[in-house]
């Protein structure tokens, strides 16, 4: 390379002055670097040219374009960035993005967002140093796992072919990137199980999703559930099958139907922090499940089932980023080769999500999401941890475990609040903020029931919201109505120019709870409602006494009622607004 101008990586310089050069360049030249391309080939040494965010050429003795960033590949390897097919964004968008990128994860699914939040989150991620985010629409059977929190705006319920068709049509407006179905109701041997989805409903979800090019993955943890998912032709099973040893038919069916297996070993690992919380009986049961899981993993691999990488990060203190790398180590511990584990995390995961024509391997024309590291993780998977740099779309985003540039804030900037929150006059069923009205229901099964209906009030031009509530037979049941102040309650709203909250209400006499939720926390006050219409004016000072809510970063307003088991309530609402 004596005729080539060498340029050190940012990770070698560690100087912020180099950042504009890397960020502004449209070409990156990896000179004489060891390439593991995840296509099935053995590692080889080559030059690699990236132009306009894509792999442009891969061969020895390439010519260097003018103004290209040149990376000396001596003692370095290049591998494709990881894709995590099972992630719950339970922390801020910037926090999760940073953790994932630092560990070489360049594509991440989001299993924790309601469809109405996709658009604002997609916009916000353009302001962050971020991996590619793949948004999954959540579907569950009534009483199924995943439907035990939030409402149907978060997890749509499907029990029949007709409901599957209706829900997929509903989702067309929001354009998810994939579908996650909580198909399996087994709860790890607990006395109470959730509902399984019906075979007809799951098959129709798969068929309807295929028309839209949306891959379908399932929460599946049992052998019977695996049979159901494989027969329906899902793209991937994204949990470990662990209730018993697999039968002989399941691995064959998964291989024949090209069902990928992402066992999320990281979330099930018996880490020390878990063992300190578990009883002896729980440890024994979890140990047995792990034995079944390892046995089934080995059987699936031997049968030729394709592997993908998923972690369930964000659930059960499973850390973001670190778990994605550790998942590959656990695959090796369970019987995969280092090469199989690395391909699972790169090409396998991309194939499971239907993105393999775009990313997941180092090949001409594919997206230049890649990692530069020291070592040979295809021979020793733990050497994936020796990351020097991470690139997304051909731009360097990580150097020496630090972001290249300043990450965006944890919370998006607030937008000014407007006076009218909901007067129930819109014909599309949305609030005056243009958001989807939601229900606020107690957590866990059985769940209280609520029905809302917009109807004429004192005149045909004055609509009101009628709410009927049946509290469930459980401890501390509650239900109510929630008014998001932005789509998906994602962008905060600054209501500091207002003095309080007002609404008109008629309902069954009782004590109702009014809550202001913000990024800083939520505060609630109780109000006593008597018979007949009344207008309540609640100054913000009553909410601020708890010092939890931030009026400049509001997310939603809710009106709830709680009471005794099986109590029934009705209420009518009008003119919910902020007051000056």
């Amino acid at each position: 390379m004596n005729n080539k101008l060498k340029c050190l990586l940012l990770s070698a310089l560690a100087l912020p002055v180099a950042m504009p050069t890397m960020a502004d360049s449209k070409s990156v030249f990896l000179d004489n670097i060891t390439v593991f391309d995840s296509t099935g080939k053995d590692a080889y040494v080559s030059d690699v040219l990236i132009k306009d965010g894509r792999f442009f050429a891969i061969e020895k003795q390439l010519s260097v374009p003018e103004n290209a960033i040149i990376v000396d590949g001596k003692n370095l390897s290049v591998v494709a960035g990881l894709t995590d097919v099972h992630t719950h964004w339970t922390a801020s968008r910037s926090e999760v993005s940073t953790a994932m990128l630092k560990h070489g994860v360049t594509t991440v699914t989001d299993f924790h967002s309601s469809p109405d939040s996709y658009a604002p989150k997609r916009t916000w991620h353009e302001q962050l140093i971020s991996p590619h985010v793949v948004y999954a629409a959540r579907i569950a059977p009534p009483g199924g796992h995943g439907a035990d929190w939030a409402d149907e705006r978060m997890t749509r319920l499907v029990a029949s072919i007709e409901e599957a068709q209706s829900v997929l049509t509903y989702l067309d407006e929001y354009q998810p990137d994939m579908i996650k179905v909580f198909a399996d109701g087994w709860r790890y041997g607990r006395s109470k199980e959730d509902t399984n989805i019906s075979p007809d409903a799951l098959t129709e979800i798969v068929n309807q999703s295929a028309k839209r090019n949306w891959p379908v993955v399932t929460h599946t943890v049992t052998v019977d559930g695996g049979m159901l998912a494989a027969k329906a032709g899902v793209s991937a099973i994204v949990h470990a099958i662990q209730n018993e040893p697999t039968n002989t038919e399941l691995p064959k069916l998964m291989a024949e139907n090209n069902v990928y297996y992402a066992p999320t070993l990281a979330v099930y690992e018996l880490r020390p922090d878990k063992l300190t919380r578990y009883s002896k009986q729980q440890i024994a049961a979890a140990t047995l499940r792990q034995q079944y899981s390892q046995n089934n993993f080995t059987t699936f691999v031997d049968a030729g089932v394709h592997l993908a990488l998923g972690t369930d990060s964000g659930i059960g203190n499973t850390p973001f980023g670190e778990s994605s790398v550790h998942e590959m180590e656990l695959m090796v511990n369970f019987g995969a080769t280092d090469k199989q584990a690395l391909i699972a995390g790169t090409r396998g995961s991309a194939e499971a999500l239907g993105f393999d024509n775009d990313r997941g391997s180092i090949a001409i024309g594919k997206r230049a999401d890649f990692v530069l590291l020291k070592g040979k993780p295809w021979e020793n998977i733990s050497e994936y941890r020796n990351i020097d740099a991470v690139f997304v779309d051909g731009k360097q985003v990580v150097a020496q475990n630090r972001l290249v540039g300043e990450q965006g804030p944890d919370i998006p900037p607030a937008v000014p609040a407007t006076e009218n929150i909901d007067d129930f006059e819109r014909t599309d069923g949305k609030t005056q903020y243009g958001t989807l009205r939601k229900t606020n229901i107690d957590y866990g099964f059985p769940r209280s029931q609520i029905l809302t209906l917009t109807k004429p009030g004192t005149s045909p031009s004055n609509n009101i919201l009628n709410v009927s509530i049946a509290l469930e037979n459980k401890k501390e049941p509650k239900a109510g109505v929630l008014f998001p102040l932005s789509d998906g309650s994602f962008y905060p709203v600054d209501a500091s120019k207002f003095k309080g909250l007002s609404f008109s209400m008629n309902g069954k006499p009782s004590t109702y709870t009014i809550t202001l939720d913000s990024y800083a926390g939520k505060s609630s006050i109780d109000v006593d409602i008597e018979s007949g219409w009344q207008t309540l004016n609640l100054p913000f000072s009553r909410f601020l006494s708890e010092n939890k809510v931030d009026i400049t970063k509001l997310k939603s307003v809710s009106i709830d009622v709680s009471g005794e088991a099986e109590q029934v309530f009705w209420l009518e609402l009008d003119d919910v607004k902020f007051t000056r």
Side-chain angles (χ1 to χ4, degrees), residues 349-379:
S349 292
E351 289 174 342
L353 298 181
F355 296 154
D356 49 304
N357 288 331
D358 181 68
R359 69 195 78 165
S361 58
I362 298 174
I364 294 173
K366 290 195 176 183
R367 193 180 296 272
D369 298 342
F370 62 93
V371 176
L372 302 180
L373 50 80
K374 295 176 181 176
K376 300 178 180 180
W378 54 92
E379 296 179 358

PDB file of all heavy atoms in Angstrom, residues 349-379:
ATOM      1  N   SER A 349     -30.199 -13.468  11.561  1.00  0.00           N
ATOM      2  CA  SER A 349     -31.213 -12.545  12.070  1.00  0.00           C
ATOM      3  C   SER A 349     -31.794 -11.694  10.958  1.00  0.00           C
ATOM      4  O   SER A 349     -33.001 -11.410  10.932  1.00  0.00           O
ATOM      5  CB  SER A 349     -30.606 -11.660  13.163  1.00  0.00           C
ATOM      6  OG  SER A 349     -30.294 -12.427  14.313  1.00  0.00           O
ATOM      7  N   ALA A 350     -30.936 -11.269  10.025  1.00  0.00           N
ATOM      8  CA  ALA A 350     -31.435 -10.490   8.889  1.00  0.00           C
ATOM      9  C   ALA A 350     -32.392 -11.325   8.042  1.00  0.00           C
ATOM     10  O   ALA A 350     -33.436 -10.837   7.581  1.00  0.00           O
ATOM     11  CB  ALA A 350     -30.273  -9.991   8.044  1.00  0.00           C
ATOM     12  N   GLU A 351     -32.071 -12.598   7.841  1.00  0.00           N
ATOM     13  CA  GLU A 351     -32.957 -13.477   7.080  1.00  0.00           C
ATOM     14  C   GLU A 351     -34.279 -13.679   7.811  1.00  0.00           C
ATOM     15  O   GLU A 351     -35.345 -13.692   7.178  1.00  0.00           O
ATOM     16  CB  GLU A 351     -32.270 -14.821   6.840  1.00  0.00           C
ATOM     17  CG  GLU A 351     -31.116 -14.755   5.838  1.00  0.00           C
ATOM     18  CD  GLU A 351     -30.361 -16.062   5.723  1.00  0.00           C
ATOM     19  OE1 GLU A 351     -30.492 -16.916   6.631  1.00  0.00           O
ATOM     20  OE2 GLU A 351     -29.626 -16.232   4.736  1.00  0.00           O
ATOM     21  N   ALA A 352     -34.214 -13.849   9.121  1.00  0.00           N
ATOM     22  CA  ALA A 352     -35.439 -14.063   9.887  1.00  0.00           C
ATOM     23  C   ALA A 352     -36.399 -12.884   9.757  1.00  0.00           C
ATOM     24  O   ALA A 352     -37.623 -13.055   9.795  1.00  0.00           O
ATOM     25  CB  ALA A 352     -35.099 -14.295  11.361  1.00  0.00           C
ATOM     26  N   LEU A 353     -35.852 -11.676   9.588  1.00  0.00           N
ATOM     27  CA  LEU A 353     -36.678 -10.478   9.464  1.00  0.00           C
ATOM     28  C   LEU A 353     -36.929 -10.086   8.010  1.00  0.00           C
ATOM     29  O   LEU A 353     -37.558  -9.051   7.746  1.00  0.00           O
ATOM     30  CB  LEU A 353     -36.027  -9.314  10.212  1.00  0.00           C
ATOM     31  CG  LEU A 353     -35.847  -9.499  11.721  1.00  0.00           C
ATOM     32  CD1 LEU A 353     -35.217  -8.257  12.342  1.00  0.00           C
ATOM     33  CD2 LEU A 353     -37.175  -9.817  12.404  1.00  0.00           C
ATOM     34  N   GLY A 354     -36.412 -10.873   7.084  1.00  0.00           N
ATOM     35  CA  GLY A 354     -36.640 -10.591   5.680  1.00  0.00           C
ATOM     36  C   GLY A 354     -35.795  -9.460   5.134  1.00  0.00           C
ATOM     37  O   GLY A 354     -36.119  -8.881   4.089  1.00  0.00           O
ATOM     38  N   PHE A 355     -34.689  -9.145   5.804  1.00  0.00           N
ATOM     39  CA  PHE A 355     -33.829  -8.036   5.386  1.00  0.00           C
ATOM     40  C   PHE A 355     -32.528  -8.502   4.756  1.00  0.00           C
ATOM     41  O   PHE A 355     -31.612  -7.708   4.561  1.00  0.00           O
ATOM     42  CB  PHE A 355     -33.464  -7.158   6.598  1.00  0.00           C
ATOM     43  CG  PHE A 355     -34.631  -6.476   7.241  1.00  0.00           C
ATOM     44  CD1 PHE A 355     -34.572  -6.111   8.581  1.00  0.00           C
ATOM     45  CD2 PHE A 355     -35.771  -6.183   6.529  1.00  0.00           C
ATOM     46  CE1 PHE A 355     -35.644  -5.464   9.190  1.00  0.00           C
ATOM     47  CE2 PHE A 355     -36.854  -5.537   7.126  1.00  0.00           C
ATOM     48  CZ  PHE A 355     -36.786  -5.176   8.454  1.00  0.00           C
ATOM     49  N   ASP A 356     -32.401  -9.785   4.466  1.00  0.00           N
ATOM     50  CA  ASP A 356     -31.098 -10.316   4.069  1.00  0.00           C
ATOM     51  C   ASP A 356     -30.636  -9.794   2.717  1.00  0.00           C
ATOM     52  O   ASP A 356     -29.441  -9.853   2.414  1.00  0.00           O
ATOM     53  CB  ASP A 356     -31.128 -11.846   4.059  1.00  0.00           C
ATOM     54  CG  ASP A 356     -32.317 -12.409   3.299  1.00  0.00           C
ATOM     55  OD1 ASP A 356     -33.459 -12.053   3.644  1.00  0.00           O
ATOM     56  OD2 ASP A 356     -32.122 -13.205   2.365  1.00  0.00           O
ATOM     57  N   ASN A 357     -31.529  -9.261   1.902  1.00  0.00           N
ATOM     58  CA  ASN A 357     -31.083  -8.631   0.657  1.00  0.00           C
ATOM     59  C   ASN A 357     -30.497  -7.246   0.891  1.00  0.00           C
ATOM     60  O   ASN A 357     -29.892  -6.663  -0.012  1.00  0.00           O
ATOM     61  CB  ASN A 357     -32.247  -8.521  -0.338  1.00  0.00           C
ATOM     62  CG  ASN A 357     -32.646  -9.868  -0.912  1.00  0.00           C
ATOM     63  OD1 ASN A 357     -31.817 -10.765  -1.024  1.00  0.00           O
ATOM     64  ND2 ASN A 357     -33.919 -10.017  -1.246  1.00  0.00           N
ATOM     65  N   ASP A 358     -30.676  -6.736   2.094  1.00  0.00           N
ATOM     66  CA  ASP A 358     -30.249  -5.376   2.415  1.00  0.00           C
ATOM     67  C   ASP A 358     -29.101  -5.326   3.415  1.00  0.00           C
ATOM     68  O   ASP A 358     -28.285  -4.405   3.378  1.00  0.00           O
ATOM     69  CB  ASP A 358     -31.441  -4.598   2.977  1.00  0.00           C
ATOM     70  CG  ASP A 358     -31.100  -3.164   3.312  1.00  0.00           C
ATOM     71  OD1 ASP A 358     -30.844  -2.382   2.382  1.00  0.00           O
ATOM     72  OD2 ASP A 358     -31.084  -2.816   4.517  1.00  0.00           O
ATOM     73  N   ARG A 359     -29.010  -6.293   4.310  1.00  0.00           N
ATOM     74  CA  ARG A 359     -27.990  -6.246   5.369  1.00  0.00           C
ATOM     75  C   ARG A 359     -27.786  -7.639   5.937  1.00  0.00           C
ATOM     76  O   ARG A 359     -28.403  -8.595   5.532  1.00  0.00           O
ATOM     77  CB  ARG A 359     -28.429  -5.280   6.480  1.00  0.00           C
ATOM     78  CG  ARG A 359     -29.624  -5.756   7.293  1.00  0.00           C
ATOM     79  CD  ARG A 359     -30.253  -4.681   8.126  1.00  0.00           C
ATOM     80  NE  ARG A 359     -31.097  -3.819   7.301  1.00  0.00           N
ATOM     81  CZ  ARG A 359     -32.000  -2.957   7.782  1.00  0.00           C
ATOM     82  NH1 ARG A 359     -32.151  -2.829   9.079  1.00  0.00           N
ATOM     83  NH2 ARG A 359     -32.743  -2.233   6.974  1.00  0.00           N
ATOM     84  N   GLY A 360     -26.861  -7.730   6.908  1.00  0.00           N
ATOM     85  CA  GLY A 360     -26.631  -8.999   7.593  1.00  0.00           C
ATOM     86  C   GLY A 360     -25.383  -9.732   7.143  1.00  0.00           C
ATOM     87  O   GLY A 360     -24.946 -10.680   7.806  1.00  0.00           O
ATOM     88  N   SER A 361     -24.813  -9.310   6.029  1.00  0.00           N
ATOM     89  CA  SER A 361     -23.562  -9.912   5.563  1.00  0.00           C
ATOM     90  C   SER A 361     -22.775  -8.853   4.803  1.00  0.00           C
ATOM     91  O   SER A 361     -23.312  -7.794   4.442  1.00  0.00           O
ATOM     92  CB  SER A 361     -23.836 -11.129   4.664  1.00  0.00           C
ATOM     93  OG  SER A 361     -24.621 -10.772   3.550  1.00  0.00           O
ATOM     94  N   ILE A 362     -21.512  -9.135   4.584  1.00  0.00           N
ATOM     95  CA  ILE A 362     -20.649  -8.205   3.860  1.00  0.00           C
ATOM     96  C   ILE A 362     -20.624  -8.644   2.405  1.00  0.00           C
ATOM     97  O   ILE A 362     -19.945  -9.610   2.044  1.00  0.00           O
ATOM     98  CB  ILE A 362     -19.248  -8.163   4.480  1.00  0.00           C
ATOM     99  CG1 ILE A 362     -19.350  -7.661   5.923  1.00  0.00           C
ATOM    100  CG2 ILE A 362     -18.311  -7.287   3.673  1.00  0.00           C
ATOM    101  CD1 ILE A 362     -18.059  -7.705   6.697  1.00  0.00           C
ATOM    102  N   ALA A 363     -21.399  -7.958   1.588  1.00  0.00           N
ATOM    103  CA  ALA A 363     -21.541  -8.321   0.175  1.00  0.00           C
ATOM    104  C   ALA A 363     -21.835  -7.054  -0.611  1.00  0.00           C
ATOM    105  O   ALA A 363     -22.454  -6.110  -0.098  1.00  0.00           O
ATOM    106  CB  ALA A 363     -22.653  -9.347  -0.010  1.00  0.00           C
ATOM    107  N   ILE A 364     -21.423  -7.040  -1.844  1.00  0.00           N
ATOM    108  CA  ILE A 364     -21.590  -5.860  -2.698  1.00  0.00           C
ATOM    109  C   ILE A 364     -23.063  -5.497  -2.810  1.00  0.00           C
ATOM    110  O   ILE A 364     -23.912  -6.357  -3.063  1.00  0.00           O
ATOM    111  CB  ILE A 364     -20.975  -6.114  -4.083  1.00  0.00           C
ATOM    112  CG1 ILE A 364     -19.450  -6.260  -3.968  1.00  0.00           C
ATOM    113  CG2 ILE A 364     -21.317  -4.988  -5.054  1.00  0.00           C
ATOM    114  CD1 ILE A 364     -18.773  -6.682  -5.243  1.00  0.00           C
ATOM    115  N   GLY A 365     -23.354  -4.230  -2.600  1.00  0.00           N
ATOM    116  CA  GLY A 365     -24.708  -3.718  -2.696  1.00  0.00           C
ATOM    117  C   GLY A 365     -25.454  -3.675  -1.384  1.00  0.00           C
ATOM    118  O   GLY A 365     -26.477  -2.994  -1.276  1.00  0.00           O
ATOM    119  N   LYS A 366     -24.965  -4.372  -0.370  1.00  0.00           N
ATOM    120  CA  LYS A 366     -25.671  -4.393   0.901  1.00  0.00           C
ATOM    121  C   LYS A 366     -25.291  -3.187   1.756  1.00  0.00           C
ATOM    122  O   LYS A 366     -24.254  -2.558   1.580  1.00  0.00           O
ATOM    123  CB  LYS A 366     -25.400  -5.697   1.657  1.00  0.00           C
ATOM    124  CG  LYS A 366     -26.052  -6.900   0.998  1.00  0.00           C
ATOM    125  CD  LYS A 366     -26.090  -8.099   1.917  1.00  0.00           C
ATOM    126  CE  LYS A 366     -26.828  -9.267   1.261  1.00  0.00           C
ATOM    127  NZ  LYS A 366     -26.931 -10.429   2.158  1.00  0.00           N
ATOM    128  N   ARG A 367     -26.160  -2.909   2.693  1.00  0.00           N
ATOM    129  CA  ARG A 367     -25.973  -1.796   3.606  1.00  0.00           C
ATOM    130  C   ARG A 367     -24.681  -1.982   4.399  1.00  0.00           C
ATOM    131  O   ARG A 367     -24.411  -3.067   4.929  1.00  0.00           O
ATOM    132  CB  ARG A 367     -27.170  -1.726   4.549  1.00  0.00           C
ATOM    133  CG  ARG A 367     -27.285  -0.448   5.348  1.00  0.00           C
ATOM    134  CD  ARG A 367     -28.511  -0.506   6.233  1.00  0.00           C
ATOM    135  NE  ARG A 367     -29.749  -0.563   5.464  1.00  0.00           N
ATOM    136  CZ  ARG A 367     -30.414   0.501   5.045  1.00  0.00           C
ATOM    137  NH1 ARG A 367     -29.946   1.713   5.314  1.00  0.00           N
ATOM    138  NH2 ARG A 367     -31.543   0.359   4.376  1.00  0.00           N
ATOM    139  N   ALA A 368     -23.893  -0.924   4.497  1.00  0.00           N
ATOM    140  CA  ALA A 368     -22.586  -1.018   5.163  1.00  0.00           C
ATOM    141  C   ALA A 368     -22.729  -0.801   6.665  1.00  0.00           C
ATOM    142  O   ALA A 368     -22.297   0.193   7.230  1.00  0.00           O
ATOM    143  CB  ALA A 368     -21.618  -0.010   4.557  1.00  0.00           C
ATOM    144  N   ASP A 369     -23.376  -1.766   7.294  1.00  0.00           N
ATOM    145  CA  ASP A 369     -23.432  -1.835   8.760  1.00  0.00           C
ATOM    146  C   ASP A 369     -22.412  -2.881   9.179  1.00  0.00           C
ATOM    147  O   ASP A 369     -22.602  -4.073   8.919  1.00  0.00           O
ATOM    148  CB  ASP A 369     -24.830  -2.267   9.217  1.00  0.00           C
ATOM    149  CG  ASP A 369     -25.917  -1.298   8.803  1.00  0.00           C
ATOM    150  OD1 ASP A 369     -25.588  -0.148   8.464  1.00  0.00           O
ATOM    151  OD2 ASP A 369     -27.102  -1.694   8.832  1.00  0.00           O
ATOM    152  N   PHE A 370     -21.321  -2.447   9.815  1.00  0.00           N
ATOM    153  CA  PHE A 370     -20.252  -3.397  10.106  1.00  0.00           C
ATOM    154  C   PHE A 370     -19.464  -2.989  11.337  1.00  0.00           C
ATOM    155  O   PHE A 370     -19.593  -1.866  11.852  1.00  0.00           O
ATOM    156  CB  PHE A 370     -19.314  -3.551   8.900  1.00  0.00           C
ATOM    157  CG  PHE A 370     -18.595  -2.294   8.479  1.00  0.00           C
ATOM    158  CD1 PHE A 370     -17.318  -1.997   8.964  1.00  0.00           C
ATOM    159  CD2 PHE A 370     -19.172  -1.416   7.576  1.00  0.00           C
ATOM    160  CE1 PHE A 370     -16.649  -0.855   8.568  1.00  0.00           C
ATOM    161  CE2 PHE A 370     -18.517  -0.269   7.169  1.00  0.00           C
ATOM    162  CZ  PHE A 370     -17.253   0.019   7.657  1.00  0.00           C
ATOM    163  N   VAL A 371     -18.672  -3.936  11.802  1.00  0.00           N
ATOM    164  CA  VAL A 371     -17.867  -3.764  13.006  1.00  0.00           C
ATOM    165  C   VAL A 371     -16.421  -4.085  12.672  1.00  0.00           C
ATOM    166  O   VAL A 371     -16.138  -5.084  11.993  1.00  0.00           O
ATOM    167  CB  VAL A 371     -18.373  -4.697  14.135  1.00  0.00           C
ATOM    168  CG1 VAL A 371     -17.473  -4.597  15.360  1.00  0.00           C
ATOM    169  CG2 VAL A 371     -19.813  -4.348  14.501  1.00  0.00           C
ATOM    170  N   LEU A 372     -15.513  -3.242  13.119  1.00  0.00           N
ATOM    171  CA  LEU A 372     -14.084  -3.516  13.042  1.00  0.00           C
ATOM    172  C   LEU A 372     -13.615  -3.943  14.425  1.00  0.00           C
ATOM    173  O   LEU A 372     -13.917  -3.278  15.426  1.00  0.00           O
ATOM    174  CB  LEU A 372     -13.320  -2.275  12.584  1.00  0.00           C
ATOM    175  CG  LEU A 372     -13.723  -1.679  11.226  1.00  0.00           C
ATOM    176  CD1 LEU A 372     -12.881  -0.446  10.915  1.00  0.00           C
ATOM    177  CD2 LEU A 372     -13.585  -2.715  10.121  1.00  0.00           C
ATOM    178  N   LEU A 373     -12.902  -5.052  14.468  1.00  0.00           N
ATOM    179  CA  LEU A 373     -12.485  -5.588  15.768  1.00  0.00           C
ATOM    180  C   LEU A 373     -11.147  -6.293  15.645  1.00  0.00           C
ATOM    181  O   LEU A 373     -10.660  -6.568  14.538  1.00  0.00           O
ATOM    182  CB  LEU A 373     -13.557  -6.525  16.316  1.00  0.00           C
ATOM    183  CG  LEU A 373     -14.111  -7.638  15.418  1.00  0.00           C
ATOM    184  CD1 LEU A 373     -13.187  -8.829  15.364  1.00  0.00           C
ATOM    185  CD2 LEU A 373     -15.490  -8.059  15.880  1.00  0.00           C
ATOM    186  N   LYS A 374     -10.575  -6.570  16.797  1.00  0.00           N
ATOM    187  CA  LYS A 374      -9.334  -7.328  16.865  1.00  0.00           C
ATOM    188  C   LYS A 374      -9.659  -8.742  17.307  1.00  0.00           C
ATOM    189  O   LYS A 374     -10.197  -8.947  18.394  1.00  0.00           O
ATOM    190  CB  LYS A 374      -8.369  -6.658  17.846  1.00  0.00           C
ATOM    191  CG  LYS A 374      -7.918  -5.270  17.393  1.00  0.00           C
ATOM    192  CD  LYS A 374      -7.049  -4.594  18.442  1.00  0.00           C
ATOM    193  CE  LYS A 374      -6.626  -3.204  17.971  1.00  0.00           C
ATOM    194  NZ  LYS A 374      -5.854  -2.461  19.005  1.00  0.00           N
ATOM    195  N   GLY A 375      -9.352  -9.691  16.459  1.00  0.00           N
ATOM    196  CA  GLY A 375      -9.631 -11.068  16.810  1.00  0.00           C
ATOM    197  C   GLY A 375     -10.383 -11.785  15.715  1.00  0.00           C
ATOM    198  O   GLY A 375     -10.621 -11.251  14.630  1.00  0.00           O
ATOM    199  N   LYS A 376     -10.769 -13.010  16.014  1.00  0.00           N
ATOM    200  CA  LYS A 376     -11.476 -13.867  15.063  1.00  0.00           C
ATOM    201  C   LYS A 376     -12.700 -14.475  15.748  1.00  0.00           C
ATOM    202  O   LYS A 376     -12.670 -15.627  16.196  1.00  0.00           O
ATOM    203  CB  LYS A 376     -10.540 -14.977  14.566  1.00  0.00           C
ATOM    204  CG  LYS A 376      -9.283 -14.470  13.852  1.00  0.00           C
ATOM    205  CD  LYS A 376      -8.384 -15.623  13.445  1.00  0.00           C
ATOM    206  CE  LYS A 376      -7.128 -15.115  12.734  1.00  0.00           C
ATOM    207  NZ  LYS A 376      -6.240 -16.246  12.341  1.00  0.00           N
ATOM    208  N   PRO A 377     -13.786 -13.722  15.855  1.00  0.00           N
ATOM    209  CA  PRO A 377     -14.945 -14.233  16.584  1.00  0.00           C
ATOM    210  C   PRO A 377     -15.576 -15.457  15.941  1.00  0.00           C
ATOM    211  O   PRO A 377     -16.332 -16.169  16.601  1.00  0.00           O
ATOM    212  CB  PRO A 377     -15.905 -13.038  16.597  1.00  0.00           C
ATOM    213  CG  PRO A 377     -15.457 -12.168  15.467  1.00  0.00           C
ATOM    214  CD  PRO A 377     -13.980 -12.346  15.386  1.00  0.00           C
ATOM    215  N   TRP A 378     -15.298 -15.718  14.679  1.00  0.00           N
ATOM    216  CA  TRP A 378     -15.811 -16.932  14.036  1.00  0.00           C
ATOM    217  C   TRP A 378     -15.080 -18.172  14.547  1.00  0.00           C
ATOM    218  O   TRP A 378     -15.535 -19.284  14.324  1.00  0.00           O
ATOM    219  CB  TRP A 378     -15.699 -16.831  12.519  1.00  0.00           C
ATOM    220  CG  TRP A 378     -14.309 -16.515  12.026  1.00  0.00           C
ATOM    221  CD1 TRP A 378     -13.344 -17.400  11.670  1.00  0.00           C
ATOM    222  CD2 TRP A 378     -13.740 -15.206  11.871  1.00  0.00           C
ATOM    223  NE1 TRP A 378     -12.203 -16.747  11.282  1.00  0.00           N
ATOM    224  CE2 TRP A 378     -12.426 -15.382  11.390  1.00  0.00           C
ATOM    225  CE3 TRP A 378     -14.204 -13.912  12.078  1.00  0.00           C
ATOM    226  CZ2 TRP A 378     -11.565 -14.311  11.124  1.00  0.00           C
ATOM    227  CZ3 TRP A 378     -13.365 -12.844  11.807  1.00  0.00           C
ATOM    228  CH2 TRP A 378     -12.057 -13.045  11.339  1.00  0.00           C
ATOM    229  N   GLU A 379     -13.958 -17.950  15.238  1.00  0.00           N
ATOM    230  CA  GLU A 379     -13.240 -19.052  15.885  1.00  0.00           C
ATOM    231  C   GLU A 379     -13.376 -19.008  17.403  1.00  0.00           C
ATOM    232  O   GLU A 379     -13.339 -20.049  18.066  1.00  0.00           O
ATOM    233  CB  GLU A 379     -11.754 -19.007  15.505  1.00  0.00           C
ATOM    234  CG  GLU A 379     -11.502 -19.237  14.019  1.00  0.00           C
ATOM    235  CD  GLU A 379     -10.021 -19.158  13.670  1.00  0.00           C
ATOM    236  OE1 GLU A 379      -9.208 -18.878  14.578  1.00  0.00           O
ATOM    237  OE2 GLU A 379      -9.684 -19.372  12.490  1.00  0.00           O
TER     238      GLU A 379
END
